Amino acid sequence: AQTVTQSQPEMSVQEAETVTLSCTYDTSESDYYLFWYKQPPSRQMILVIRQEAYKQQNATENRFSVNFQKAAKSFSLKISDSQLGDAAMYFCAYRSGRSEFDMRFGAGTRLTVKP
Amino acid sequence: DSGVTQTPKHLITATGQRVTLRCSPRSGDLSVYWYQQSLDQGLQFLIHYYNGEERAKGNILERFSAQQFPDLHSELNLSSLELGDSALYFCASSVAGQGAIFSSYNEQFFGPGTRLTVL
């Protein structure tokens, strides 16, 4: 079974600095998708960035980028120029390419941004 | 705003009771998913419906059931509630389900959640 591990329960960053959140996953599949979701205090789940496993190029969305290491099964999220509004829980998620309902989430990393 | 709506926003009830959570997917989305998020934990997949039919079950208790109606809204029924059922319940929707119309990533759009407190 696929599992997603986020080894950092909490992280903090100074405003305007860069922070990297770690995520590893375990799978025997070759076709899958990886996601980072942000959950602010409002509890809304917001998709931050996605990565298709077949793509070698790392995904980027403005200040958010990922470092996808397929062989190492690692999928880290880098937040550049951190802003106060980035403070939230961040969840890494895995979805099998064979089953669009089967989304597995990590336990989350709580990010604090210090002014 | 994802376009997915959930009601009620908050629900407080007692052990042994039964509640119904409602979800309206985005316009045009045929799939609805239910997730449970206990305190400071990740989301656990409960169940998936596609165009009115149950497609997959995850870690859903027998005391819980769901359905998707012809207008595509969905309801999650929780019965014989226990203290441990207190959680945030999310609904998500996506355009497609499994099969030929499966898209490359078929993003799931999440609703704002229903916070259930069982006293």
Side-chain angles (χ1 to χ4, degrees):
Chain A
Q2 298 85 8
T3 58
V4 179
T5 303
Q6 292 180 249
S7 59
Q8 307 154 314
E10 296 184 357
M11 290 284 285
S12 68
V13 63
Q14 206 69 34
E15 194 177 5
E17 297 293 306
T18 296
V19 65
T20 299
L21 308 184
S22 301
C23 173
T24 58
Y25 57 95
D26 183 29
T27 184
S28 58
E29 299 178 334
S30 57
D31 181 24
Y32 52 88
Y33 306 92
L34 297 164
F35 306 84
W36 278 98
Y37 281 89
K38 171 184 177 181
Q39 188 179 45
S42 68
R43 293 298 201 174
Q44 177 78 46
M45 291 290 286
I46 303 165
L47 179 65
V48 175
I49 200 164
R50 68 172 74 85
Q51 175 81 42
E52 293 89 337
Y54 64 83
K55 289 188 178 178
Q56 293 186 343
Q57 187 172 7
N58 289 325
T60 299
E61 288 286 343
N62 300 316
R63 298 181 296 105
F64 299 87
S65 62
V66 298
N67 183 6
F68 174 47
Q69 302 287 327
K70 192 171 184 178
K73 298 179 183 175
S74 170
F75 181 61
S76 60
L77 174 71
K78 185 171 83 171
I79 306 174
S80 304
D81 186 24
S82 297
Q83 301 175 359
L84 295 178
D86 295 333
M89 282 288 286
Y90 286 83
F91 293 97
C92 177
Y94 168 103
R95 183 167 67 78
S96 167
R98 294 179 298 174
S99 174
E100 61 96 19
F101 71 86
D102 193 3
M103 186 95 94
R104 306 293 177 102
F105 287 82
T109 296
R110 183 177 301 282
L111 178 66
T112 303
V113 181
K114 299 177 181 178
Chain B
D1 185 359
S2 66
V4 179
T5 60
Q6 289 186 248
T7 56
K9 198 171 183 178
H10 300 280
L11 197 50
I12 301 174
T13 188
T15 54
Q17 295 298 305
R18 172 190 172 95
V19 297
T20 298
L21 313 184
R22 181 188 171 102
C23 168
S24 293
R26 293 186 320 153
S27 177
D29 283 0
L30 300 178
S31 274
V32 170
Y33 314 80
W34 285 97
Y35 293 87
Q36 179 192 56
Q37 183 182 29
S38 299
L39 185 62
D40 287 338
Q41 294 187 14
L43 279 68
Q44 297 290 323
F45 167 70
L46 295 178
I47 198 164
H48 168 218
Y49 275 83
Y50 172 71
N51 204 20
E53 293 185 5
E54 180 187 305
R55 282 300 179 92
K57 273 186 173 180
N59 299 321
I60 187 167
L61 300 172
E62 286 192 10
R63 300 183 285 109
F64 295 1
S65 64
Q67 52 185 332
Q68 186 179 28
F69 295 87
D71 67 352
L72 300 177
H73 91 271
S74 177
E75 292 181 355
L76 179 67
N77 300 296
L78 315 177
S79 61
S80 301
L81 286 167
E82 301 175 0
L83 295 177
D85 298 328
S86 295
L88 199 57
Y89 290 84
F90 284 102
C91 162
S93 74
S94 68
V95 171
Q98 291 175 287
I101 52 174
F102 176 72
S103 64
S104 62
Y105 44 76
N106 210 356
E107 179 179 341
Q108 295 184 17
F109 294 86
F110 284 82
T114 292
R115 179 173 293 285
L116 173 66
T117 302
V118 182
L119 300 176

